[in-house]
Structures are given as C-alpha cells and as structure tokens.
Amino acid sequence: GDCEVDPTDALPTMAPMARRVSSPTFIGRNAELERLTAALAAAATDGRPAALLVAGEAGVGKTRLMSELAGRARTAGFRVLTGGCIELAEGGLPFAPIVEALRPLGSELSPDALAALAGPGRAELARLLPELGELATRADHDAAGAAQGRLFELLLLFLRRLAAERAVLLVLEDLHWADRSTLDLLGFLVRNLRDAPLVLVATYRSDELHRRHPLLPVLAELTRTGRIGRFELARVGPDALAAQLAGVPGAPAERELVERIYARSE
C-alpha cells in the first residue's frame, strides 16, 4: 500500500515548511504480489501468457504494487512496458496507455529491429509507435488501411514477436479513464494472446465505477471469457500502517500517530 504524510500536520516537531514524504516499506500486499509474480514465472518458464485486472480505491496502493511487480519482472529478465490512461474532459485519449507503453522501444531498439518487429504493418502501427512511420516505405503507406481490427491484429503480432525475443510485462493503468478504442483493444488482446511469454496487467479505480460507467460491461465480458484473473486491493489495517510509517525518516510509529493517520487516511 501507499502512505504519504504531511509532517506539518502529523509531526509538529518538524520544520513548518510542508513537504511530502513516503515510506520505502512495501506492506500489506504480499498475497497479491505473489499471485502476480506466479504469472511472471509461468510466462517465463512455460511461455504461457496471462492477463490480470487489479482493482482498488484511489490511493489504496495499485501504482505501488505495479512498481514492485515491475522491479521483480526486470530482475527476472522481462522487458517492462507501462502506460496509463489520461483523464480528459471530452473523454479518454485513444490508445493512450499503449502509446506510452511502446514509446521507450523507439530509443531502446535499433531502426532495423523495430522494422523487423513491425513487418509490413509499419505504417499502420505508426499510430501507436510514431518511429515506425519514419521506417515505412511509400508502398507501406499506400497499403495502410484504417480498419481498427487490422490494427489490433498487427499489434498482437508485434507483441508476440517482441515477447519471443524477451518476455514482456505490459502494465496498463487507470482503465477507468480509458476511451472506447483502448477498451476494445484490451478485450482483443485478452481473447487472442496465445503461446507467448507476455503478462498483461491492468488497473482501475473501483470507486470510480458508477452504474453506467463504460468500463463495467467490459469487465463483465472479460470475466466471462475465463481468460483473465481479477482481484481487488483492500485497505490496509493499523498494524500494516505502523510498519509502513516505521520506514519514513523522522516519523516514529507511535500508536497515537498511527491512529491519527489511520483515521485521516481511512
């Protein structure tokens, strides 16, 4: 879980200037982390893909859990790709988490390697990875279509080729802000990932989902496929909070302090 403290409110003996501090101690999520790590192990050893949904209230620790998972994945030799959906007044930005997740590949891989991974779909995949547009030939551009289904197929093939070279962890955060195209792509990937060492993990805020939220029917349909796991992060208790506070420099985990912060943060 995550815990951030304003020392001017909770620690009156410290300097009056407000600053945010956080604990390096990771607590209260061992069961969830082990479940996610088991998916990494299955992908790495058996080439078995996995897809998981992680839900939780705002601030409950989803991002921190993903950070811990990413660290384990890198240690195990995975390529980690992470992207987040963006909150916009007029709706989500199309394919925002995928574009963000793929962006580092433009600098990590050579142009020849990128071109080989993309194959003849370079011009179309340039919608998600602009560097591919520079590698596409005139013939590629002339043949490129706008069909969303073809774009999904090309991305699936791209990810399978990428994972064949090195196992991949793909993290998509804040699905509650996702646009329709991103949700459609997620559903496509979950249904069609086969025999590839790729683990897909998506997070969302469960407290954001009102009864007409567009993510709800998508979650229901994904669950019906039987191809995705799903769990929710619960709030941590006072004992776990005390352990976390013990890791904050200058923040002694006295019981009164723990109780005050627990009450304020719920």
Side-chain angles (χ1 to χ4, degrees):
D2 288 332
C3 176
E4 290 188 333
V5 183
D6 181 348
T8 61
D9 178 62
L11 302 174
T13 59
M14 297 181 70
M17 181 177 295
R19 63 184 180 89
R20 299 182 71 83
V21 296
S22 61
S23 173
T25 306
F26 182 75
I27 52 88
R29 305 293 181 220
N30 291 332
E32 294 87 350
L33 183 57
E34 290 307 316
R35 180 178 174 184
L36 292 165
T37 303
L40 295 180
T45 59
D46 302 328
R48 191 164 72 236
L52 297 117
L53 292 168
V54 179
E57 297 173 307
V60 82
K62 299 182 295 299
T63 297
R64 181 66 177 273
L65 177 62
M66 292 303 100
S67 177
E68 293 291 327
L69 177 65
R72 289 196 177 190
R74 291 188 181 95
T75 299
F78 277 67
R79 184 188 302 278
V80 178
L81 305 175
T82 302
C85 301
I86 300 173
E87 183 182 23
L88 297 174
E90 63 275 15
L93 192 65
F95 303 119
I98 295 295
V99 172
E100 182 182 358
L102 297 181
R103 186 175 295 125
L105 297 178
S107 57
E108 293 175 4
L109 301 176
S110 70
D112 288 344
L114 273 182
L117 289 170
R122 290 185 289 268
E124 288 156 303
L125 284 172
R127 292 176 59 187
L128 306 178
L129 185 55
E131 286 83 354
L132 287 172
E134 301 171 5
L135 303 175
T137 65
R138 178 59 181 269
D140 292 330
H141 285 293
D142 291 342
Q148 183 167 273
R150 175 168 166 76
L151 178 64
F152 289 1
E153 290 284 358
L154 290 170
L155 177 63
L156 176 64
L157 185 58
F158 179 89
L159 291 174
R160 285 175 57 87
R161 288 170 175 161
L162 187 68
E165 295 182 353
R166 179 179 168 190
V168 172
L169 169 64
L170 175 59
V171 178
L172 307 179
E173 296 197 82
D174 296 327
L175 280 186
H176 51 280
W177 289 329
D179 72 298
R180 185 71 240 179
S181 59
T182 298
L183 295 178
D184 288 343
L185 175 57
L186 174 65
F188 177 85
L189 292 177
V190 170
R191 289 180 180 83
N192 292 281
L193 273 176
R194 299 285 192 282
D195 303 321
L198 190 151
V199 177
L200 169 61
V201 183
T203 72
Y204 64 93
R205 291 182 184 174
S206 52
D207 54 334
E208 292 270 352
L209 303 188
H210 53 78
R211 64 188 183 90
R212 293 187 177 180
H213 196 288
L215 181 57
L216 284 176
V218 175
L219 295 176
E221 181 59 29
L222 289 175
T223 302
R224 279 195 294 270
T225 68
R227 297 184 55 80
I228 194 165
R230 182 177 174 183
F231 58 90
E232 182 153 356
L233 299 184
R235 300 176 182 182
V236 299
D239 291 340
L241 176 61
Q244 193 171 53
L245 284 174
V248 178
E254 298 168 353
R255 200 65 198 178
E256 181 182 357
L257 173 62
V258 172
E259 291 173 356
R260 288 174 59 194
I261 293 179
Y262 187 72
R264 287 286 299 275
S265 67
E266 299 185 344

